[in-house]
Amino acid sequence: MLGSCLKTILEAQLECIPQIRKGTARAKKMPAWLTSEVKEALRGKKSSFRKWKSCPNEENKKEHKLWQKKCKKTIRNAKKEFEEHIAKNIKTNNKKFYKYIQSRRPSREAIGPLDDKGVKGVLKNDETAEKLNEFFASVFTVEDIGQIPEPELTFAGRDSEELRQIVVTREEVLGLIDNIKTDKSLGPDDIHLRVLKELKGEIADLLTKICNLSLGSSSVPEDWKVANVTPIFKRGSRGDPGNYRPVSLTSVPGKLVESIIKARLTKHIEEQALLKQSQHGFCKGKSCLGNLLEFFESVNKHIDRGDPVDIVYFQKAFNKVPHQRLLRKLSSHGIRGEILLWIRNWLRSRE
C-alpha cells in the first residue's frame, strides 16, 4: 500500500510540477531584497545606457547618470528595508535571518578536507563519505546484551493505565500535515512537503490507515528506516571527522508517526508523573538556562558546606544510548505491548 501510494505521488510530481534545471536563467537565485521598484530602476538604467550609446550627447549622458544614482539609491533602500524586516521578525522566522547572514559570508567548502591517517589531504567525495560514515558508526555504543540490569519499576498504575496501543485519527493526521514547514529538506522518498500539504484532503485517510496498520502490527515500513545523513560542521578543525554532527533526513510520513508516538508517550509520562523534577531535557516549560541555574545552585550548596563535588559529562550522549536498556526503561515506565514492539522495530536495521 505504502509503495503504490509513494509511486503515485512521485509520478504526479514529475508530471504536474514544472522542473527548473540547474544552469538555466530561471534557476539563478535572485537577491532576497529584489523589489519591483529595484527592477524598474534597473530597467531605466539599462534603457538610458542604450540610448546614450546609440546617440552620445551630453543630454543622454546626464539622463543616464541620473538613472545610475536613482538605481543605487533604490537598491540601498531596498536592502535596508529587507534587513530591518528580517531583523524585526527574527523570533518568528529566524531561519530566514540566518540564511541571509550566511549568504553574505564568503563561501567555503562545507566538508573537509579530512585528515587521512594524520596526513591532511583532499579526499574524493566517496572517500570523504566513507570516512565520515566510519566515524559516526564508531561512536555508537556496542551493547553487552548478556548483562542488562533491570531498571527500577517507576510505573505503579493499573494495567488499564499502561500505554499499549495507539489509534490515530484523521483529524490528528490533518493537524500534523498543517504544521509541516514546506521549506524543510526532503527525505529519501523525494516527496515534496508542499505536495503533502496541498493534497492533505486527498491523502489524509490513506495516511491514517497506514499509520494504524503500522502501529497495530508493530511493524515499521523499510522506507521509514532509511535516512540521508548530512554532516554539519560544528567547530574546530575541518579535517577532524569528530567535528561534524550527523543530521538524518528521513521520510516525512514516517516522521508524522514518530510525532504521534512522541506526543502520546509524553502525555503518558506526564499523567503518571514518571519524571523527576530535576529532568529538564524535552520538558515543556523548562530550558537549558533553568537547568544550568539549578545545577549551579546545587553545586554552590555543596561547596559552601565544604563537600567535594564531582561532575560527569557525556559526549555524543544521544549516540551512546544502549537500545536494549532503553526498551527495558520504557517498559518500566508502563510503555508496553504493541507500542514497545513498534519502537523496538523502529530502532532495528536502520540504513
Side-chain angles (χ1 to χ4, degrees):
M1 180 188 293
L2 183 60
S4 60
C5 177
L6 176 61
K7 184 180 178 181
T8 303
I9 292 176
L10 292 177
E11 288 176 352
Q13 279 185 186
L14 288 173
E15 184 178 348
C16 304
I17 300 175
Q19 303 291 316
I20 299 177
R21 294 180 181 177
K22 292 182 179 179
T24 61
R26 287 186 63 198
K28 293 179 181 177
K29 291 185 178 179
M30 294 292 105
W33 45 262
L34 192 65
T35 62
S36 56
E37 290 80 6
V38 173
K39 291 179 182 178
E40 184 181 350
L42 289 170
R43 284 194 294 267
K45 176 185 171 183
K46 192 174 182 179
S47 177
S48 65
F49 178 76
R50 286 199 300 264
K51 184 178 178 182
W52 174 36
K53 284 298 179 182
S54 62
C55 184
N57 54 47
E58 286 299 319
E59 185 179 349
N60 289 341
K61 182 180 179 180
K62 186 177 180 181
E63 183 183 356
H64 177 62
K65 290 290 183 184
L66 289 172
W67 273 108
Q68 275 186 319
K69 289 181 181 178
K70 181 179 179 181
C71 190
K72 189 175 181 179
K73 184 179 179 181
T74 307
I75 290 174
R76 187 165 56 244
N77 290 338
K79 283 184 178 180
K80 182 182 177 183
E81 289 177 5
F82 174 77
E83 290 171 355
E84 286 179 349
H85 174 72
I86 61 173
K88 288 178 181 177
N89 293 277
I90 187 172
K91 288 186 177 180
T92 55
N93 194 352
N94 59 358
K95 184 175 181 179
K96 189 175 183 180
F97 176 83
Y98 288 111
K99 185 178 180 181
Y100 179 71
I101 296 298
Q102 193 68 23
S103 70
R104 303 293 296 167
R105 299 175 64 184
S107 60
R108 63 182 301 178
E109 291 294 327
I111 304 171
L114 300 178
D115 297 342
D116 188 16
K117 296 179 182 178
V119 180
K120 196 165 187 176
V122 178
L123 302 178
K124 295 179 181 178
N125 287 342
D126 55 347
E127 293 174 340
T128 300
E130 191 63 34
K131 195 168 182 66
L132 287 167
N133 181 54
E134 288 175 5
F135 175 78
F136 294 152
S138 70
V139 173
F140 288 96
T141 298
V142 179
E143 191 173 8
D144 181 9
I145 59 175
Q147 296 180 350
I148 301 178
E150 284 295 333
E152 179 187 353
L153 185 63
T154 54
F155 177 75
R158 300 185 298 273
D159 291 347
S160 59
E161 294 175 325
E162 292 179 357
L163 182 62
R164 289 181 167 272
Q165 294 178 323
I166 292 178
V167 178
V168 182
T169 64
R170 185 177 189 273
E171 289 70 25
E172 203 168 7
V173 172
L174 283 173
L176 288 170
I177 296 175
D178 281 333
N179 291 328
I180 288 176
K181 295 181 180 179
T182 55
D183 59 348
K184 297 292 184 181
S185 300
L186 308 184
D189 51 18
D190 290 328
I191 297 179
H192 201 284
L193 307 183
R194 177 73 182 274
V195 172
L196 281 179
K197 207 158 190 175
E198 294 291 340
L199 296 176
K200 64 179 183 180
E202 287 73 19
I203 65 175
D205 289 328
L206 184 59
L207 275 178
T208 304
K209 189 173 183 179
I210 291 172
C211 291
N212 284 321
L213 283 172
S214 173
L215 294 169
S217 61
S218 301
S219 61
V220 182
E222 294 301 318
D223 290 348
W224 295 0
K225 294 185 179 183
V226 180
N228 289 333
V229 180
T230 302
I232 306 297
F233 178 68
K234 296 185 291 185
R235 68 183 76 83
S237 170
R238 287 183 175 267
D240 183 1
N243 291 332
Y244 293 86
R245 176 169 59 91
V247 175
S248 297
L249 302 176
T250 56
S251 169
V252 177
K255 286 195 285 190
L256 293 180
V257 179
E258 292 171 27
S259 299
I260 292 169
I261 292 178
K262 183 249 182 184
R264 299 293 178 88
L265 259 65
T266 303
K267 183 181 178 183
H268 169 78
I269 288 170
E270 288 176 351
E271 287 179 348
Q272 300 298 324
L274 298 174
L275 290 182
K276 296 179 180 179
Q277 288 300 315
S278 57
Q279 172 73 27
H280 279 70
F282 306 100
C283 289
K284 191 175 181 180
K286 294 187 177 182
S287 65
C288 293
L289 179 59
N291 184 26
L292 191 62
L293 291 172
E294 285 191 20
F295 168 73
F296 274 129
E297 184 180 2
S298 175
V299 171
N300 286 332
K301 284 180 180 178
H302 286 289
I303 291 175
D304 290 341
R305 292 198 300 262
D307 299 334
V309 178
D310 293 326
I311 302 170
V312 179
Y313 290 95
F314 288 92
Q315 287 185 324
K316 307 184 186 303
F318 288 106
N319 298 336
K320 293 184 179 296
V321 173
H323 291 171
Q324 296 306 316
R325 286 167 172 78
L326 172 64
L327 292 170
R328 292 200 181 189
K329 190 86 171 182
L330 289 172
S331 179
S332 72
H333 280 58
I335 299 161
R336 298 160 188 165
E338 295 173 359
I339 299 306
L340 187 63
L341 289 174
W342 191 96
I343 295 172
R344 185 183 68 180
N345 289 334
W346 182 82
L347 291 169
R348 286 180 175 177
S349 307
R350 301 192 69 84
E351 297 181 3

